Amino acid sequence: MTDVPPRQSPAPEEQAGGAADTGHNGGNGHSPVTVEFLSEWRNAAYNCYSSGHKFCREVCPVMQVTRNENHTPTAFHANVVAMEQGELTVEDVAEDYVNCTQCGACELRCPNTLFTGDFYRFRTRTVDLVKRMRALAVDNGVHQPGYQRWNELTDERSHEPVLGDTPVSQEHVRDWAGGLDIPIGGETVLFVDCEAAFYRTSLPRAVAQILRRAGYEFGLMTEQWCCGGPAAEMGYRDQARRFAEHNLADWRAAGVRRVLVLDPHDYITFTEDYPEFFGDDFDIEIVLVVELLAQLIAEGRLTPTVPIERTITYHDPCRLNKRKGVWQEPRQILGAIPGLTFHDVDRVTQWSYCSGAGAGLPIERPEIARKISENRMDEAAQLEVDTLVSACPWSERPLAEAGQDRAIDVVDIHELLAESLGIDVGGRTRA
Amino acid sequence: MTIAPELSDQVVSELADAVGGQHVLTSKTARYNRARVPAPFPVHRWAERVPDLVVMPASTEEVAEVMRIANAHRIPVVPRDGGTGLTDGAVPERRGIIVDVKRMNDVKAIDTDNRTCTVGAGINMLKLNEVLAPYGLLYPDDPASYPCSLVGGRIGTSGWSLIGSRYGHSRDLVLSFSFVLPTGRVIRVGDGGGPKVSKSSTGYQLKHLFMGHQGTLGIATEATLKLIPKPEAELSPFWAFPDYDSAHQCVQKLAHAGVATFAGAVLFDEWKVDYLRRDDEAYIPQPADVRALVCAVAYGNADEVRAGGKRFMRIARDAGARYLGDEISQGDWAARHDRYATPLHGRTRAGQVVPMSWHCEDSAINWTDLPQVRLEWHRIADDLRRRFDMFDDWGIFAYTSAATGVDYLTEIDIGIWEQELDDESWTAWVQAKKDIAEVAVRHGGSISACHGACRDGEVDLVPVELGGAFDVMLDVKRAVDPNNIMNPGKYLLDRAYETEVE
Ligand SMILES: Cc1cc2nc3c(=O)[nH]c(=O)nc-3n(C[C@H](O)[C@H](O)[C@H](O)COP(=O)(O)OP(=O)(O)OC[C@H]3O[C@@H](n4cnc5c(N)ncnc54)[C@H](O)[C@@H]3O)c2cc1C
Ligand code: SF4
Ligand code: SF4
């Protein structure tokens, strides 16, 4: 028997040296928002700092490329301690925090999450820290030029500038659905992220037609804006919130109860950021399309029959596998498609894989992002596959580019399923 | 004595020419984040440990060029690899240049016929073993820091492996390496001249000398390693005992049994069991009459491991042990071994939970002296805790270092509440480390079996432990590093230059 019943142990914020005891920071010339941030993050930062053991290093996709200790969770936490000690300022540290895709691998590999997590309900929250530090920088007027421009353009156009110089706009956000006669509004709507709506239009077309085949009713939003997640990831929290408010108002006005999400990034935004913004008022059900499709297949409402002769591997999108623990359903879908030869790599091994596309890394550090994509495709190439299947539109563009040199096609799982259901998807991937 | 001059623009541009401008890091974060390792640290004195800049070379030639520049300008150089070392080896004492070798992490060759591989010093063992897996091979250097320490750091510390009693430690597994001397000259050191030789009698045996020096003699850049077939099976039975003495007897009987698959045994003392009960959620709760634990580990071919396991079970039963069952045995070994985690929190005297840093003592002690050393160490920890309510005694592990049971890596773990450290408590802590080292030396052991002994406190005892051999160390240091640029301030090696200071 333990003589300390686990559930009676104090939560971290009740520990000695907690937020109430602001200890040594005493201002140190920091702005009031910074002082508040430091008192909020102080104990979490020390939890890592006092360990400092770097079990998180080798699993990190950025670190695998740069090998630069500045880009580790260890450093991300230690900087907070150094700021609290008055050794570093937000200006000193801000730029380092661009070197993260917010993939979540380091949190899974951190022993403090694995063990202390159960006992003290403490979890190493590196992703959250990176987001907060980026926001703190913005709040202090410290901007990364790429992020700043991206979010300005997003603000102007209400969508991310995913087509580069070709503008994206509200008038075109539903163009992907041309000819499909999808109604506007209804209890259930399909939310299509910017990359899929403007760049990979074949993906939402596949999803829409599969759902229709299964007799699953849904509509589109009256006026869909970007989910706001990218702004939140890059530190532009006010903008993120404005976008969230817009979308929520749109849902409310149409009487929406349920939102279908085909993009893992949106899924994070709607299940983590929106509840944080709106608290208990946020009562919209969020449904991940991959999970829904696996269920429809299991229920016999969808039966893929057209054999697909490909030798594939599956890329676990970080935000599904590492951040949400969703890894079974995509494999169930792939298992139902006839003709495939599947060289799977288990989800734990894939903790150290990433497409490089997350959290704005390609905006500020395209060369690192590209190298991460190449590393991922090198892993695939070793399996001697002709196709890599992903379930995340943001991963598919960079992985496809890296796949070209290795003669590996990158295919979206929804599109693959549509093909096996005999659906001629239409739409395109814009080159 | 070398004091870092302000690094002139001239030096910075020479370094940029050597390694490429983007691999010379001068930002404050680059420097602050290479000023510490996981060992407890006087946070309020962080600024004292910060280097002037960091270089991240990509090849032996680049390292050599950096050394030539540093030597010409008399600038301190501190090698840094994983930064997991627990004796502050990779932390600069005199500013200067951190040579961070993590970019040198490629697998250059795998020789399946002779079972070796050649790698850059910045590679991690877990990552290397992912590459070796398709060949059915394993590099068995397996410290508790297996997922985070790197081959160059293993050479710099001459590390200790959890399964070293069967497969050897870093010194046995690293066959040879390229080594950049402080002058910039590159040599290959190993067992003999050929890079893949495991036993040679040609000339002086320099390999030992250039391992475990904590970066005070130069920088290893590329290493050739010995590989084993990936073990088919591993077994890790745990047994409980009503008292320490019977556990202590049992662990040695296991070591003495001569079982070929024996890869190590671990003894947990009463304080350790108490601590695990109190604060380690990975620990599977045991009845209160359990006072000490023993674990034995066997690795190898499945049939041989099975046969050895039966013998272990018999020995332990005869020694009065109670087997804890398969689930606990596998779970606890996996936890301790794959992701070594002391819980990294402890308690104040009043029982309040606080985040604590971990001091891991690592003396080499003979089996006969373990019971007494343990009592003396706990007295030191207890005294510290009574005076400063920021230390916590997390108990002692003792691990076999060799298959014969001659000596044990003996580890008292002490939690330190870093947030509260001040000069007075830090000074008391340094004294306690010295006292702990003194006990080890007095009992005929060694201060360090794996991390090295160059932290404040323990380092004072190094000349006592080594006697005349320490004087030879000084001679060697002066001969190899005439300008004392390599990691100056470590291991009292400044004494090698004292006559020249005047
Ligand atoms: C949780 C945890 C568990 C641990 N368990 C063990 C264990 O079981 N066994 C064990 O032996 N250790 C253990 N350690 C200590 C540590 O991991 C080892 O000392 C390891 O060998 C250090 O490797 P590193 O790559 O992190 O080196 P670093 O910390 O970067 O460097 C260690 C020393 O080597 C020098 N050095 C680094 N690179 C080179 C180079 N290329 N050439 C020459 N010198 C160099 C440095 O200057 C420094 O003095 C543990 C540490 C932690 C945090
Ligand atoms: S994030 Fe976790 S694994 Fe990484 S250094 Fe911090 S405590 Fe250790
Ligand atoms: S979230 Fe991913 S990219 Fe960011 S530090 Fe952790 S492992 Fe690295």
Side-chain angles (χ1 to χ4, degrees):
Chain A
M1 271 302 298
T2 45
D3 46 17
V4 184
R7 295 305 164 211
Q8 287 174 21
S9 301
E13 53 281 8
E14 291 162 31
Q15 293 177 11
D21 163 19
T22 43
H24 313 285
N25 81 52
N28 271 328
H30 296 304
S31 68
V33 273
T34 306
V35 172
E36 193 189 327
F37 168 92
L38 292 175
S39 78
E40 189 188 328
W41 280 92
R42 174 175 200 265
N43 260 15
Y46 267 99
N47 256 296
C48 168
Y49 182 89
S50 294
S51 321
H53 34 27
K54 309 178 173 84
F55 283 81
C56 50
R57 187 210 307 119
E58 299 290 331
V59 81
C60 171
V62 173
M63 191 59 199
Q64 287 171 49
V65 170
T66 69
R67 308 297 289 160
N68 182 343
E69 228 170 303
N70 293 30
H71 307 160
T72 55
T74 325
F76 293 158
H77 286 90
N79 289 339
V80 177
V81 175
M83 285 168 70
E84 194 218 23
Q85 294 285 323
E87 301 287 356
L88 298 177
T89 64
V90 68
E91 288 82 4
D92 292 328
V93 308
E95 194 185 332
D96 283 354
Y97 289 79
V98 307
N99 297 289
C100 173
T101 65
Q102 300 179 10
C103 76
C106 54
E107 295 183 0
L108 294 170
R109 204 65 187 74
C110 176
N112 291 16
T113 292
L114 292 168
F115 291 153
T116 318
D118 301 336
F119 192 41
Y120 294 105
R121 300 190 195 157
F122 178 81
R123 192 189 151 90
T124 303
R125 292 180 297 140
T126 309
V127 169
D128 211 17
L129 173 60
V130 169
K131 271 171 101 165
R132 297 300 159 137
M133 186 62 95
R134 290 180 181 184
L136 181 73
V138 171
D139 292 347
N140 278 283
V142 181
H143 296 274
Q144 306 306 318
Y147 290 171
Q148 190 172 21
R149 174 111 189 98
W150 185 272
N151 286 290
E152 275 166 13
L153 289 174
T154 305
D155 203 14
E156 259 169 38
R157 301 166 182 188
S158 67
H159 298 283
E160 291 184 273
V162 293
L163 299 183
D165 293 336
T166 311
V168 294
S169 67
Q170 194 54 45
E171 299 85 76
H172 296 294
V173 69
R174 286 198 297 256
D175 286 2
W176 64 266
L180 296 180
D181 291 330
I182 306 173
I184 303 296
E187 265 204 8
T188 304
V189 293
L190 175 65
F191 188 94
V192 181
D193 69 287
C194 305
E195 176 77 353
F198 297 103
Y199 179 79
R200 199 179 181 98
T201 54
S202 46
L203 165 52
R205 289 184 72 85
V207 169
Q209 293 172 87
I210 297 170
L211 291 175
R212 179 165 293 168
R213 171 74 60 90
Y216 192 99
E217 283 185 22
F218 67 96
L220 298 177
M221 285 174 67
T222 316
E223 188 182 304
Q224 178 189 307
W225 284 12
C226 171
C227 66
E233 287 182 339
M234 292 181 243
Y236 291 81
R237 281 177 60 83
D238 291 343
Q239 179 168 328
R241 196 183 165 110
R242 267 192 292 113
F243 276 58
E245 279 165 358
H246 168 89
N247 287 332
L248 182 60
D250 188 279
W251 295 338
R252 292 261 187 261
V256 170
R257 302 289 320 133
R258 193 173 301 102
V259 175
L260 309 181
V261 188
L262 54 79
D263 166 34
H265 295 251
D266 293 346
Y267 189 56
I268 296 272
T269 309
F270 295 152
T271 57
E272 294 180 10
D273 292 349
Y274 281 32
E276 197 189 311
F277 290 144
F278 307 118
D280 289 343
D281 287 351
F282 189 71
D283 56 356
I284 307 278
E285 185 191 352
I286 304 297
V287 177
L288 182 67
V289 168
V290 206
E291 288 185 323
L292 175 62
L293 296 183
Q295 189 194 330
L296 293 173
I297 291 172
E299 289 168 2
R301 290 169 67 184
L302 288 173
T303 308
T305 52
V306 181
I308 303 201
E309 306 295 339
R310 283 179 183 267
T311 303
I312 65 157
T313 190
Y314 171 66
H315 173 69
D316 271 306
C318 303
R319 278 158 180 74
L320 294 188
N321 177 32
K322 301 182 221 175
R323 297 209 28 208
K324 289 295 188 185
V326 177
W327 52 273
Q328 277 166 313
E329 290 80 358
R331 287 174 172 78
Q332 286 162 5
I333 294 174
L334 292 171
I337 297 177
L340 294 178
T341 306
F342 188 12
H343 295 304
D344 197 8
V345 174
D346 69 89
R347 70 182 197 284
V348 175
T349 303
Q350 293 212 34
W351 286 357
S352 64
Y353 297 1
C354 177
S355 73
L361 186 73
I363 300 170
E364 274 296 334
R365 295 288 183 275
E367 66 298 344
I368 298 175
R370 197 171 316 116
K371 194 76 191 46
I372 294 174
S373 310
E374 283 170 9
N375 287 349
R376 175 63 187 97
M377 294 311 283
D378 282 343
E379 298 288 353
Q382 287 196 4
L383 303 169
E384 294 178 356
V385 296
D386 52 47
T387 305
L388 176 136
V389 179
S390 179
C392 167
W394 290 94
S395 74
E396 286 155 14
R397 186 170 1 176
L399 290 180
E401 276 164 24
Q404 271 169 12
D405 301 339
R406 295 163 182 78
I408 298 178
D409 290 343
V410 172
V411 175
D412 180 87
I413 191 169
H414 309 88
E415 296 175 34
L416 198 71
L417 175 62
E419 190 183 338
S420 185
L421 289 165
I423 298 169
D424 183 9
V425 165
R428 60 173 172 166
T429 301
R430 295 179 75 121
Chain B
M1 195 157 78
T2 317
I3 307 284
E6 289 293 10
L7 293 192
S8 61
D9 292 347
Q10 166 72 16
V11 170
V12 177
S13 82
E14 284 178 33
L15 290 170
D17 288 344
V19 300
Q22 75 274 38
H23 299 123
V24 178
L25 315 181
T26 53
S27 72
K28 279 185 98 175
T29 50
R31 294 158 53 228
Y32 270 78
N33 282 297
R34 289 172 182 79
R36 59 181 294 270
V37 289
F41 179 77
V43 185
H44 63 293
R45 288 169 51 191
W46 198 340
E48 293 168 25
R49 319 275 186 104
V50 175
D52 290 314
L53 57 73
V54 179
V55 295
M56 296 189 64
S59 66
T60 304
E61 295 67 40
E62 288 185 9
V63 173
E65 192 52 33
V66 169
M67 290 286 230
R68 278 191 283 272
I69 296 165
N71 199 36
H73 295 278
R74 307 285 190 267
I75 302 164
V77 169
V78 181
R80 183 173 176 97
D81 213 357
T84 69
L86 294 176
T87 189
D88 290 354
V91 174
E93 295 199 8
R94 312 258 168 84
R95 306 182 69 98
I97 301 168
I98 290 264
V99 177
D100 183 330
V101 300
K102 278 191 277 295
R103 282 179 66 222
M104 300 164 63
N105 68 334
D106 43 344
V107 178
K108 293 170 193 288
I110 298 171
D111 174 351
T112 53
D113 294 330
N114 295 304
R115 291 216 164 136
T116 69
C117 68
T118 299
V119 300
I123 200 168
N124 164 252
M125 285 80 77
L126 183 150
K127 285 284 169 192
L128 171 60
N129 282 329
E130 284 175 9
V131 177
L132 295 173
Y135 302 90
L137 295 172
L138 184 87
Y139 179 56
D141 186 7
D142 189 4
S145 54
Y146 175 69
C148 48
S149 58
L150 309 177
V151 165
R154 302 298 290 155
I155 293 173
T157 57
S158 194
W160 179 97
S161 165
L162 284 158
I163 51 175
S165 299
R166 162 132 214 214
Y167 299 113
H169 301 284
S170 309
R171 62 175 187 207
D172 309 300
L173 296 166
V174 174
L175 292 170
S176 68
F177 47 92
S178 297
F179 195 77
V180 183
L181 295 167
T183 53
R185 180 163 174 209
V186 182
I187 57 170
R188 186 89 189 177
V189 277
D191 293 287
K196 300 177 186 173
V197 173
S198 78
K199 173 67 184 78
S200 157
S201 290
T202 306
Y204 291 173
Q205 300 300 300
L206 294 181
K207 191 178 87 175
H208 266 289
L209 175 61
F210 289 107
M211 294 186 77
H213 52 80
Q214 300 287 340
T216 60
L217 294 179
I219 301 182
T221 53
E222 174 196 298
T224 299
L225 312 172
K226 191 158 111 185
L227 305 178
I228 62 159
K230 197 170 174 351
E232 287 171 7
E234 77 183 56
L235 182 78
S236 52
F238 272 67
W239 297 280
F241 297 83
D243 59 80
Y244 176 81
D245 288 339
S246 36
H248 175 244
Q249 291 297 325
C250 179
V251 75
Q252 192 71 335
K253 291 200 175 101
L254 293 164
H256 280 178
V259 171
T261 53
F262 177 79
V266 194
L267 166 64
F268 301 46
D269 82 344
E270 310 91 309
W271 280 261
K272 181 57 82 183
V273 172
D274 280 349
Y275 171 62
L276 296 177
R277 258 198 197 106
R278 152 160 73 94
D279 269 320
D280 187 351
E281 53 280 21
Y283 176 75
I284 295 94
Q286 292 300 323
D289 64 353
V290 173
R291 303 289 295 143
L293 295 169
V294 167
C295 159
V297 188
Y299 275 58
N301 296 327
D303 50 347
E304 293 168 320
V305 167
R306 222 172 5 252
K310 280 198 186 124
R311 187 177 285 258
F312 286 151
M313 287 297 190
R314 205 165 54 233
I315 292 168
R317 199 172 46 239
D318 292 349
R322 186 167 64 76
Y323 179 54
L324 293 182
D326 297 349
E327 190 191 340
I328 290 183
S329 294
Q330 285 160 16
D332 208 278
W333 175 249
R336 273 176 220 299
H337 160 251
D338 295 348
R339 36 185 152 81
Y340 187 88
T342 53
L344 292 157
H345 51 256
R347 290 178 190 255
T348 63
R349 289 193 300 257
Q352 186 169 26
V353 178
V354 291
M356 282 191 170
S357 185
W358 168 53
H359 171 75
C360 174
E361 190 63 45
D362 68 316
S363 300
I365 305 289
N366 295 121
W367 175 78
T368 42
D369 292 74
L370 287 174
Q372 185 58 28
V373 165
R374 139 183 153 276
L375 294 177
E376 293 184 38
W377 277 4
H378 284 306
R379 261 200 297 278
I380 295 167
D382 189 49
D383 177 58
L384 199 58
R385 180 169 168 80
R386 256 188 300 106
R387 288 189 293 139
F388 300 92
D389 197 8
M390 57 186 88
F391 297 96
D392 195 2
D393 184 344
W394 293 349
I396 294 178
F397 287 122
Y399 302 80
T400 53
S401 280
T404 65
V406 49
D407 58 342
Y408 284 68
L409 183 169
T410 308
E411 160 183 336
I412 184 167
D413 296 311
I414 296 180
I416 302 182
W417 188 8
E418 276 178 326
Q419 280 166 308
E420 295 298 303
L421 278 178
D422 56 14
D423 284 331
E424 193 195 353
S425 48
W426 180 253
T427 306
W429 165 242
V430 169
Q431 181 59 43
K433 270 194 300 172
K434 192 167 170 173
D435 296 344
I436 288 169
E438 188 277 327
V439 174
V441 173
R442 180 157 40 77
H443 281 271
S446 174
I447 300 167
S448 172
C450 62
H451 306 145
C454 50
R455 298 199 87 195
D456 287 350
E458 65 201 9
V459 71
D460 296 342
L461 272 289
V462 172
V464 180
E465 177 184 331
L466 298 182
F470 183 73
D471 299 329
V472 177
M473 241 174 96
L474 298 180
D475 293 341
V476 169
K477 169 72 175 169
R478 200 168 44 234
V480 174
D481 182 13
N483 298 314
N484 194 17
I485 63 162
M486 287 311 302
N487 214 348
K490 298 281 158 60
Y491 265 136
L492 308 177
L493 289 167
D494 286 342
R495 291 183 190 175
Y497 307 87
E498 267 167 11
T499 49
E500 294 170 16
V501 164
E502 300 313 298

